[in-house]
Amino acid sequence: MKLNIGIIGYGNLGKSVEQIILSKNEYNLVAIFSRRTVKSRYNSLIDNYENITKYKSHIDVMLLCGGSKNDLPPQTAEALKFFDCINAFDTHAKICGELTRLGRIAKKTNHRLIMCTGWDPGVFSVVRGLFYAISNRKPTTFWGKGISMGHSDAIRQVAGVKDAVQFTIPNPNAIRLVRKNMIDTELPLHFRDCYVVCDKPKQKQIERTIRQMPNYFKGQPTSVTYVSHNTINSLKKRMRHKGQIITSFKTIQGTKTAAEFKLSMESNSNLTAAIMCAYIKAIGNLKLHKVSGAYTCLDVPISFLFSKEERQKVINELC
């Protein structure tokens, strides 16, 4: 029996998730929900977001693909009342609060939420947890160079901004020091380059708002450059991104160990969509074990990403 899937949000991430779901024989895409008037190039059914409750008996898992700043907090809370859910919430500083808030809703309605299913947070969370458990030391994470979907979306929410993209650039000097097991707390780990389309009279106010935005740019080296629509469209084609986790530590007898995990992607949205879709089976396994509540990738066993039939094969091939 196919699993019935719904998608909320039809930006870059929603479109990538749509393609993956349509390519899998075990899934049936019931509907995509959006507040905008949009059309699917694959003729998928698109309904107004306000109609999600009409599908409560027809969708098994809802994948939420909106922005973390304004979309996911209210939409996840609303959808979780009726569906098991997966999202890619990526505001690190707010994850614990969202887990508690959404966990209450999930427990009350006997649903499951796996949140933060991106590459960071998400895959990187799992790797950091493993490194930390071995070393008892927090590893250092670097992002970029590449477009941050979450930060770009946050800028686009600023009043007066017509369009924007944001590039995250790691500080090479910080990487060099971390590899030598030296950390200069005064040295920034990243630079934030913002490219914005807006009317000239609003530029100063928009720049102030961006630089003071908590959890995104405040306290970080940030540049704001005003460009044309054509330039933004050209920049958006560069959806590549990178990231790496670096740690070094000593084991017994003072023996040294260094570990790095690197990730490079041609499309940020395509990778994030692949990770979200990989956790659909985890929802099924949580349900099978009669578990409800809200969880992150760090909470969910890796084996839950596979069906019961796949588990033995995976152990044979990967262990």
Side-chain angles (χ1 to χ4, degrees):
M1 184 179 296
K2 291 189 176 184
L3 206 62
N4 291 322
I5 305 296
I7 298 171
I8 295 177
Y10 202 55
N12 289 329
L13 180 56
K15 292 174 182 176
S16 295
V17 169
E18 176 193 24
Q19 292 182 60
I20 292 175
I21 296 301
L22 291 175
S23 72
K24 303 284 188 180
N25 290 329
E26 64 263 48
Y27 302 137
N28 173 48
L29 179 56
V30 175
I32 300 168
F33 302 92
S34 177
R35 286 197 172 103
R36 299 176 294 129
T37 301
V38 292
K39 185 176 180 180
S40 164
R41 62 181 295 189
Y42 302 101
N43 296 317
S44 301
L45 172 63
I46 297 183
D47 203 346
N48 190 284
Y49 170 74
E50 305 301 328
N51 293 329
I52 62 170
T53 57
K54 296 180 180 179
Y55 294 79
K56 61 183 179 180
S57 300
H58 305 288
I59 290 176
D60 299 305
V61 181
M62 188 73 81
L63 280 69
L64 292 96
C65 301
S68 294
K69 189 173 187 296
N70 294 328
D71 298 328
L72 290 180
Q75 289 179 357
T76 305
E78 291 165 1
L80 197 52
K81 296 174 183 177
F82 308 100
F83 312 100
D84 289 337
C85 296
I86 296 172
N87 75 22
F89 184 78
D90 66 359
T91 307
H92 293 266
K94 294 186 176 182
I95 291 173
C96 288
E98 286 295 281
L99 266 177
T100 301
R101 181 179 73 93
L102 297 170
R104 292 194 192 103
I105 298 172
K107 288 284 188 182
K108 184 177 180 180
T109 60
N110 193 31
H111 286 116
R112 289 137 288 274
L113 164 68
I114 305 179
M115 58 183 288
C116 309
T117 60
W119 62 276
D120 196 5
V123 172
F124 271 31
S125 307
V126 176
V127 175
R128 280 192 294 265
L130 181 60
F131 282 2
Y132 190 93
I134 295 168
S135 67
N136 198 33
R137 180 174 184 174
K138 182 182 177 181
T140 303
T141 303
F142 294 95
W143 305 292
K145 179 181 178 180
I147 289 180
S148 168
M149 293 193 298
H151 285 70
S152 298
D153 179 72
I155 299 173
R156 289 193 288 267
Q157 305 302 316
V158 174
V161 172
K162 297 179 179 179
D163 205 351
V165 292
Q166 186 266 314
F167 287 86
T168 302
I169 304 170
N171 186 339
N173 291 326
I175 293 176
R176 177 177 53 82
L177 289 176
V178 169
R179 283 183 172 144
K180 291 182 178 181
N181 201 17
M182 300 165 59
I183 298 179
D184 182 352
T185 56
E186 299 298 318
L187 195 66
L189 298 183
H190 302 91
F191 304 102
R192 303 283 187 178
D193 286 357
C194 309
Y195 297 87
V196 179
V197 179
C198 71
D199 294 330
K200 191 171 183 179
K202 298 182 179 180
Q203 290 180 355
K204 289 185 178 181
Q205 178 59 44
I206 286 172
E207 183 167 347
R208 283 195 295 268
T209 302
I210 290 172
R211 291 183 182 278
Q212 293 301 313
M213 193 179 294
N215 303 316
Y216 288 92
F217 303 103
K218 188 176 182 179
Q220 299 187 48
T222 302
S223 68
V224 180
T225 304
Y226 297 98
V227 296
S228 66
H229 280 289
N230 287 338
T231 299
I232 283 288
N233 290 334
S234 177
L235 291 171
K236 283 182 176 179
K237 294 177 181 178
R238 309 176 195 175
M239 288 301 291
R240 293 177 174 84
H241 213 338
K242 294 180 179 180
Q244 57 186 316
I245 300 169
I246 303 174
T247 190
S248 58
F249 55 95
K250 292 181 180 180
T251 53
I252 55 173
Q253 300 177 348
T255 54
K256 297 178 180 178
T257 299
E260 291 192 25
F261 178 82
K262 292 184 178 180
L263 189 62
S264 178
M265 66 210 81
E266 288 188 350
S267 170
N268 193 339
S269 58
N270 285 354
L271 176 62
T272 301
I275 297 166
M276 289 183 72
C277 293
Y279 276 85
I280 294 174
K281 290 182 180 178
I283 291 284
N285 279 309
L286 289 172
K287 193 172 184 178
L288 187 66
H289 285 76
K290 302 186 185 307
V291 174
S292 62
Y295 305 93
T296 70
C297 295
L298 194 56
D299 297 308
V300 178
I302 298 299
S303 62
F304 274 31
L305 274 64
F306 304 95
S307 67
K308 184 179 180 181
E309 295 73 23
E310 294 169 329
R311 182 174 177 273
Q312 189 62 50
K313 177 185 177 184
V314 169
I315 292 175
N316 288 337
E317 292 182 353
L318 302 183
C319 286

